[in-house]
């Protein structure tokens, strides 16, 4: 069987990928949300994100303003941290934090018989700055965030809730959508660190494109 390869120059691969996504979308997207949804689809090669990404009211405008005002991003994995475009975030004074490997977080988790993801959210709550949470792996991080929000111990600028898995994943996402905070959540079991980074970058690239107009 002869296989025909599409001839695409290296620097055109991403553009061509988005052209294919655009042509295969199951339905029209909200123009304001489309860049986020399409980047999630691009990262996971999964068109389910056209329907399972949920957005709180006016979340894009609120979060872009927060980034412009220096919001930083807290993640639950080093993979998310590595995947976020830190150069773009730094333009506005923000940085990316992941406390999962910190000794004090490890010790707190051991002492309290909890996960490091949960303990890392407690450490993040001590930061005196506007924060965006990009959670792509640990539902326990989302559950702890929910508790901290309900106890008025933290007020995130945004919660990106896209952990992947089976145990308490769906429930953790539903809890975040009950909070009075801006959110972008992937309903159901799908998600992952790559999707959390992709959504973060989509927001940063929206600002970049806005500034280049």
């Amino acid at each position: 069987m002869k296989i025909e390869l599409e001839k695409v120059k290296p620097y055109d691969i991403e553009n061509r990928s988005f052209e294919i996504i655009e042509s295969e979308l199951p339905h029209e997207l909200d123009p304001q949300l489309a860049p986020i949804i399409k980047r999630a689809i691009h990262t996971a090669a999964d068109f389910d994100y056209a329907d399972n990404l949920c957005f709180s009211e006016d979340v894009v405008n609120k979060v872009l303003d927060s980034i412009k005002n220096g919001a930083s991003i807290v993640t639950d994995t080093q993979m998310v941290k590595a995947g976020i475009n830190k150069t773009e975030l730094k333009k506005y004074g923000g940085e990316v934090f992941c406390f999962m490997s910190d000794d004090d977080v490890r010790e707190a988790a051991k002492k309290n018989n909890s996960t490091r993801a949960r303990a890392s959210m407690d450490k993040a709550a001590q930061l005196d700055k506007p924060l965006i949470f990009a959670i792509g792996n640990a539902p326990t991080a989302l559950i702890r965030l929910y508790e901290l929000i309900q106890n008025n111990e933290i007020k995130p600028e945004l919660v990106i809730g896209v952990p992947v898995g089976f145990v308490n994943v769906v429930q953790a996402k539903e809890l975040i959508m009950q909070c009075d905070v801006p959110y972008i959540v992937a309903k159901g079991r799908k998600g992952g660190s790559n999707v959390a980074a992709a959504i973060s970058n989509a927001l940063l690239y929206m600002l970049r494109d806005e500034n280049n107009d």
Side-chain angles (χ1 to χ4, degrees):
M1 183 178 68
K2 186 177 180 181
I3 297 174
E4 295 288 339
L5 297 177
E6 188 172 351
K7 292 183 173 63
V8 183
K9 295 177 180 178
Y11 52 81
D12 282 335
I13 290 174
E14 182 172 279
N15 288 337
R16 178 61 185 135
S17 296
F18 278 95
E19 288 174 359
I20 294 170
I21 290 169
E22 187 69 38
S23 70
E24 296 184 15
L25 283 169
H27 53 75
E28 188 174 345
L29 303 178
D30 182 318
Q32 190 178 49
L33 307 179
I36 299 168
I37 296 169
K38 287 191 283 190
R39 192 157 288 277
I41 292 170
H42 174 258
T43 295
D46 189 341
F47 282 89
D48 282 356
Y49 288 102
D51 295 303
N52 70 9
L53 280 182
C54 301
F55 300 82
S56 61
E57 186 176 355
D58 200 30
V59 63
V60 173
N61 288 328
K62 291 176 181 176
V63 174
L64 294 187
D65 283 343
S66 296
I67 295 173
K68 289 176 187 176
N69 290 324
S72 289
I73 300 176
V74 176
T75 82
D76 66 329
T77 68
Q78 296 294 342
M79 181 183 288
V80 181
K81 182 179 178 180
I84 293 173
N85 191 321
K86 289 169 280 293
T87 301
E88 287 296 323
L89 183 61
K90 189 176 179 181
K91 291 178 181 178
Y92 308 97
E95 55 188 314
V96 183
F97 298 96
C98 180
F99 301 124
M100 291 289 287
S101 301
D102 291 7
D103 290 341
D104 56 344
V105 167
R106 188 181 297 110
E107 287 301 316
K110 183 177 180 180
K111 178 181 177 181
N112 297 316
N113 194 29
S114 70
T115 66
R116 282 186 292 161
R118 182 181 177 91
S120 73
M121 295 299 103
D122 288 328
K123 183 168 182 175
Q126 305 306 312
L127 294 173
D128 186 22
K129 57 180 65 186
L131 297 175
I132 292 167
F133 288 85
I135 309 301
N137 181 68
T140 56
L142 282 189
I143 294 167
R144 183 55 180 154
L145 270 181
Y146 169 80
E147 293 169 353
L148 291 168
I149 292 165
Q150 295 301 101
N151 292 333
N152 295 315
E153 295 178 57
I154 195 169
K155 184 76 170 178
E157 302 295 313
L158 168 68
V159 177
I160 299 171
V162 293
V164 60
F166 298 94
V167 179
N168 287 330
V169 169
V170 173
Q171 297 92 326
K173 293 172 179 179
E174 293 291 337
L175 285 174
I176 291 300
M177 288 191 287
Q178 293 177 16
C179 293
D180 185 25
V181 296
Y183 64 77
I184 300 174
V185 167
K187 290 190 74 172
R189 293 171 169 173
K190 290 186 178 183
S193 295
N194 57 338
V195 177
I199 292 171
S200 301
N201 285 336
L203 293 164
L204 292 170
Y205 298 154
M206 290 168 79
L207 276 181
R208 180 189 63 189
D209 295 343
E210 180 183 287
N211 292 332
N212 289 337
D213 286 344

